[in-house]
Amino acid sequence: MKEPREYLPILEEYFPRAITDQVESPCYLISEDLIEENCKILNNIKERSGARILLALKAFALPEVFPIIGKYLDGVCASGPYEARLGREEFGKEVHTFSPAYTDETIKDVIATSDHVLFNSLNQFYKYKDLVKDAGKEIGLRVNPGYSEVEIPLYDPCQVGSRFGVLSDDIKNADLDSLDGLHFHAMCQQNADVLEKIVVSFKKRFDDVIKKVKWVNFGGGHHITRDGYDREKLVSIIKNFYSDYPNIQKIYLEPGEAVVFNAGVLVSTVLDIIKNGMEIAILDTSAENHMPDVLAMPYRPEIFGAGLVGEYPFTYRLGGVTCLAGDVIGDYSFKNPLKIGDKLVFTDMALYSFVKNTMFNGIHLPSLVVFNLKNGKLKVVRRFGYQDYKCRVS
């Protein structure tokens, strides 16, 4: 697969300087054009494989562009009652909800807004299955497929000690008469060759149960819309699974990143430049507040016009505007010296950004802006201010 920076020349055509210079800073700038291109690729997978594809709201939840995504995808997957309600009210198609555990209150809300309710344990399954069935909704059980290749432990749901999914040994003697489907999620930004190995392990461990249900969900983490992803293999895996299990009526995929891959940027401004062993630029944005995965994964996002340290003549450390000493985005080099007031554009910021951001230090959130190159539309969807901060703390 290509490295992210190889996309930069193409992305700069979709996010031209004429647009990024005119929008307010900071803001998440979302491209409707790129979202639709991604969705067309996913729709092609649907048509050729017979799979159904859901948008993972945990990665991206912007109702302004749901009409575009909804033209191609079959619904959403949610991680709790609020996401489920958003999916029901704003997306208007299938809603599948999974949570590690429900309370007596949250399960009622989830049942009311979901088509599929997925449980993480047999305890929860037995406790709530009658409520779900009485409401006419379908019941799923998340299982641990016993295989993953996720290198970062923070994102590996199959590691020893994981809190996710029923183990094959525990399900052997379970009463599963009410069960409609099985779900696993064991990938993170990976290709179809990894899914192939996971499916082999899944079938080996849960073959008897698979034969008794009517649908399976292969979870998320599929990097389907990225160059180099083996889409032919994905189609083959899905078709073969249908062939191996004639009882299976539907196979679901629930990507998040693949739907909005490269479809958003974070536009920021240089507020100050200081020196402490090196040149340091302070921005009006923050890794801690606005790009949480930069510190959590960690990773170094790409910037239009910037390179690695030493690649270009002028190197800077880019720091955020919070009081956290570690609020550092990374070290970058530029062809020309940075100046106070310069705008910097961070790429691939549609996913896991505004759905995870915070107002730590009372720092205001970046605005949400969508645009469409084809028709020239530029729309500020939401600005955030003091009342948003106050409502979170009082």
Side-chain angles (χ1 to χ4, degrees), residues 7 25 60 167 190 194 225 237-238 249-250 281-282 315 319 325 336 338 345 347-348 357 375 377:
Y7 288 96
S25 175
F60 181 83
L167 299 174
Q190 289 171 312
V194 177
T225 54
I237 292 168
I238 295 168
Q249 300 170 17
K250 297 176 184 178
I282 308 297
T315 293
N336 299 301
L338 289 182
V345 181
T347 67
D348 203 17
N357 60 21
N375 60 28
K377 182 184 79 171

Side-chain angles (χ1 to χ4, degrees), residues 223-364:
H223 234 183
I224 300 166
T225 54
R226 186 170 183 167
D227 285 353
Y229 183 91
D230 193 343
R231 295 167 195 152
E232 296 303 321
K233 181 178 286 291
L234 175 61
V235 170
S236 175
I237 292 168
I238 295 168
K239 285 184 172 181
N240 288 340
F241 199 95
Y242 275 127
S243 177
D244 292 342
Y245 297 95
N247 57 295
I248 295 298
Q249 300 170 17
K250 297 176 184 178
I251 294 174
Y252 290 95
L253 305 175
E254 45 182 45
E257 179 163 359
V259 181
V260 293
F261 180 56
N262 273 332
V265 298
L266 176 57
V267 180
S268 64
T269 299
V270 177
L271 300 181
D272 198 7
I273 298 175
I274 61 177
K275 189 168 184 177
N276 183 1
M278 66 182 302
E279 300 285 338
I280 302 168
I282 308 297
L283 309 184
D284 65 350
T285 188
S286 161
E288 171 71 9
N289 286 27
H290 308 148
M291 299 177 258
D293 279 355
V294 168
L295 300 183
M297 287 201 65
Y299 84 105
R300 176 185 174 279
E302 297 296 334
I303 299 175
F304 290 157
L308 301 172
V309 173
E311 184 175 349
Y312 299 126
F314 304 96
T315 293
Y316 297 82
R317 175 160 294 166
L318 304 183
V321 73
T322 73
C323 71
L324 177 69
D327 189 0
V328 173
I329 300 159
D331 296 349
Y332 298 80
S333 66
F334 297 85
K335 295 177 182 178
N336 299 301
L338 289 182
K339 305 184 300 298
I340 294 173
D342 281 351
K343 281 191 172 179
L344 301 180
V345 181
F346 295 89
T347 67
D348 203 17
M349 286 290 163
L351 71 154
Y352 291 112
S353 54
F354 66 87
V355 293
K356 294 180 71 173
N357 60 21
T358 75
M359 298 187 80
F360 172 60
N361 277 185
I363 305 300
H364 70 85

